């Protein structure tokens, strides 16, 4: 009987060891990710600085403040918000006092307010530089006839509005009826705890199956 139980026991122990190691690794990844998110959140919430002369994607989340004029041209990005429903992000050109022209994400409006007059004009904008990960291979091309975009495609939007490929996401209101959708860490995935729970749960299942198999072997031998 003992010889017949050795192999299933070894497989059971090895399987549990592997699953425990995977769960432990995910817990370490969770700790690392929480540290990264804390750093990003601190960067997002820092005091704004003047818009840098040279800008590149490494400056993602940098808080900035710029004075200038919001243009009246708009691009509308279709989005959906929990407990609110469909609506649009309003992307407009922003011309700074020193003549630079960048993209400005003014915020969210409900679907029915897509074509409502909003106007532009002089403004001091406080927000964060952002290079959103809205686009992938399955994102539809924009419907330029109806002025509906399906993601914030920075290079294409910059071409459409004749701006630098730079996006400022406003923290504060830039017009009546527009709700700012400030940059945050909510959209950054952090699923390591769920993964750890999954691996540890599988370990318990594996252990249970091993004990059941050993019990069956013992019962048949007696």
């Amino acid at each position: 009987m003992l010889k017949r139980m050795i192999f299933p026991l070894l497989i059971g122990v090895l399987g549990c060891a592997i699953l425990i190691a995977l769960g432990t690794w995910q817990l370490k990844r969770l700790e690392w990710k929480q540290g990264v998110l804390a750093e990003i959140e601190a960067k997002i919430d820092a005091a704004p600085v003047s818009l840098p002369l040279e800008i590149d994607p490494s400056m993602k989340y940098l808080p900035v403040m710029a004075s200038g004029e919001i243009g009246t041209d708009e691009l509308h990005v279709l989005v959906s918000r929990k407990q609110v429903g469909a609506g649009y992000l309003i992307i407009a050109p922003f011309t700074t006092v020193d003549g630079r022209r960048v993209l400005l994400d003014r915020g969210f409006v409900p679907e029915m307010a897509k074509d409502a007059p909003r106007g532009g004009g002089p403004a001091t904008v406080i927000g964060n530089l952002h290079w959103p990960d809205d686009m992938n291979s399955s994102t539809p091309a924009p419907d330029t006839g109806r002025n509906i975009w399906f993601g914030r495609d920075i290079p294409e939007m910059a071409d459409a509005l004749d701006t630098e490929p730079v996006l400022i996401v406003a923290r504060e209101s830039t017009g009546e009826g527009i709700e700012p959708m400030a940059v945050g860490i909510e959209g950054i995935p952090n699923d390591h705890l769920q993964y750890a729970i999954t691996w540890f749960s599988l370990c318990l299942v594996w252990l249970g199956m091993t004990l059941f198999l050993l019990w069956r072997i013992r019962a048949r031998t007696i």
Side-chain angles (χ1 to χ4, degrees):
M1 178 181 70
L2 183 58
K3 289 183 179 180
R4 295 181 62 187
M5 298 175 70
I6 290 176
F7 182 72
L9 182 61
L10 288 176
I11 295 298
V13 171
L14 179 61
C16 286
I18 292 173
L19 292 169
I20 289 173
L22 289 170
T24 302
W25 176 67
Q26 288 296 338
L27 289 178
K28 291 180 180 178
R29 293 282 294 174
L30 173 64
E31 183 178 0
W32 166 80
K33 192 61 170 285
Q34 287 174 333
V36 171
L37 292 176
E39 290 180 5
I40 293 174
E41 193 168 30
K43 184 175 182 180
I44 290 173
D45 295 336
V49 299
S50 298
L51 188 66
L53 293 176
E54 298 291 333
I55 297 176
D56 62 71
S58 68
M59 296 177 181
K60 188 175 183 177
Y61 307 122
L62 179 71
V64 296
M65 178 171 59
S67 295
E69 184 167 346
I70 300 174
T72 55
D73 294 336
E74 294 181 350
L75 302 178
H76 305 140
V77 183
L78 182 64
V79 294
S80 181
R81 296 182 60 193
K82 291 181 179 179
Q83 300 178 342
V84 175
Y88 295 90
L89 295 176
I90 305 301
I91 310 297
F94 180 74
T95 305
T96 66
V97 291
D98 55 359
R100 296 178 65 182
R101 212 172 140 85
V102 298
L103 297 169
L104 174 64
D105 183 337
R106 301 183 66 178
F108 176 87
V109 298
E111 189 173 17
M112 65 184 69
K114 170 180 177 290
D115 297 313
R118 273 171 284 274
T124 295
V125 172
I126 297 176
N128 296 82
L129 296 180
H130 197 36
W131 278 261
D133 300 323
D134 290 351
M135 311 302 297
N136 56 50
S137 58
S138 62
T139 305
D143 183 341
T144 54
R146 295 190 297 161
N147 190 9
I148 297 176
W149 295 62
F150 301 96
R152 289 172 294 182
D153 187 332
I154 304 305
E156 291 296 325
M157 288 183 161
D159 285 344
L161 293 177
D162 190 24
T163 71
E164 296 179 35
V166 172
L167 176 69
I168 301 175
V169 180
R171 284 188 191 177
E172 302 175 355
S173 176
T174 60
E176 186 176 352
I178 307 175
E179 182 181 352
M181 294 283 289
V183 173
I185 63 172
E186 295 78 12
I188 303 175
N190 183 16
D191 300 322
H192 297 294
L193 180 59
Q194 292 91 319
Y195 295 153
I197 291 172
T198 298
W199 289 124
F200 289 137
S201 298
L202 288 173
C203 179
L204 290 176
V205 172
W206 191 272
L207 176 62
M209 292 174 61
T210 301
L211 293 175
F212 177 73
L213 179 58
L214 293 175
W215 175 81
R216 288 286 301 271
I217 292 173
R218 182 176 182 277
R220 287 179 178 180
T221 307
I222 293 176

